[in-house]
Amino acid sequence: MSAPTPEPAEPTAPAAAPVMPAEPEPSDSARASLEALRSEIAKAVVGQDPAVTGLVVALLCRGHVLLEGVPGVAKTLLVRALAASLELDTKRVQFTPDLMPSDVTGSLVYDARTAEFSFQPGPVFTNLLIADEINRTPPKTQSSLLEAMEERQVTVDGTPRPLPEPFLVAATQNPVEYEGTYPLPEAQLDRFLLKLTVPLPSRQDEIDVLTRHADGFNPRDLKAAGIQPVAGPADLEAAREAVAKTTVSPEIAGYVVDICRATRDSPSLALGVSPRGTTALLSTARAWAWLTGRDYVTPDDVKALALPTLRHRIQLRPEAEMEGVTPDSVIASVLAHVPVPR
């Protein structure tokens, strides 16, 4: 996420009056603010830079993130630290088999004093919603998030109610324990912009984690960890406007389409990437290009975001799965065979 170092300006002839330095562009200021997120989040979470970058990309693209990792790798802490660094509101819902849709979206409650029903908002009315272990609740409750994720609103008793802006769902799931779980349907998986894997830390990172805890670090008290807001909604909106102006050449657009169409022809897949996935890959590549300091997209930007953007949008054939083929290996093969534009 670090921007390239600007080249020194050429020397100029002395002027009769001092020249005031030009004010930085709003997009440059927003980029600097978002770059500061990494060091701020590092006060609470050791490592996991790709996940931090993915969450920022999702915010820039108005998308949602599915975080997959074994318990105890700081998935929830990562989102809470991001919210604290951006001065955004966050709420957490523990998804369980008995969770009802109204427990997420809210419901109408009868008030005996006024003899009227009033709406009580659910936890979805926040900026960053942590849907913890989303695959442990039945499909009926999972689907309660579909309208919120796609339309940025919740309809209760026929009345649509808009959600706060920005709004992001960060859902977590455990990749190794499937007893008592309800796999997310393809329609819901397709609503997530990115699927990020949160791996176990390296040996040195784990030593750093232990050292912090030995020094009194409390993951439930982010203020004590020294996390301060380094960006806000205004910076995020300025960044989104700058990302929307990032140039996409016809060759790059064709490259994105060719990658996604190649997944539909793969003999290892029963389901390839949908057109929504095509637009998602272009959006994430534009956000990544802007974060790295460019106003145009390159093939390397597309390749960098292909795995997290597409891995959850494809479905393996049973025989390929038995042979050990993975979604990541299929996408890597597609990237290796699709011609790269010059």
Side-chain angles (χ1 to χ4, degrees), residues 71 144 159 179:
S144 66
T159 303
E179 185 176 352

Side-chain angles (χ1 to χ4, degrees), residues 125 146-155 160-163:
F125 286 86
L146 287 176
E147 182 185 14
M149 295 170 68
E150 188 67 21
E151 305 295 336
R152 282 354 190 235
Q153 68 179 23
V154 168
T155 301
R161 306 175 192 274
L163 296 173

Side-chain angles (χ1 to χ4, degrees), residues 170-195:
T172 71
Q173 67 177 15
N174 183 348
V176 296
E177 187 180 0
Y178 294 104
E179 185 176 352
T181 62
Y182 303 84
L184 295 178
E186 295 299 326
Q188 180 140 15
L189 280 173
D190 209 36
R191 294 301 196 282
F192 286 99
L193 180 72
L194 299 171
K195 180 181 179 182

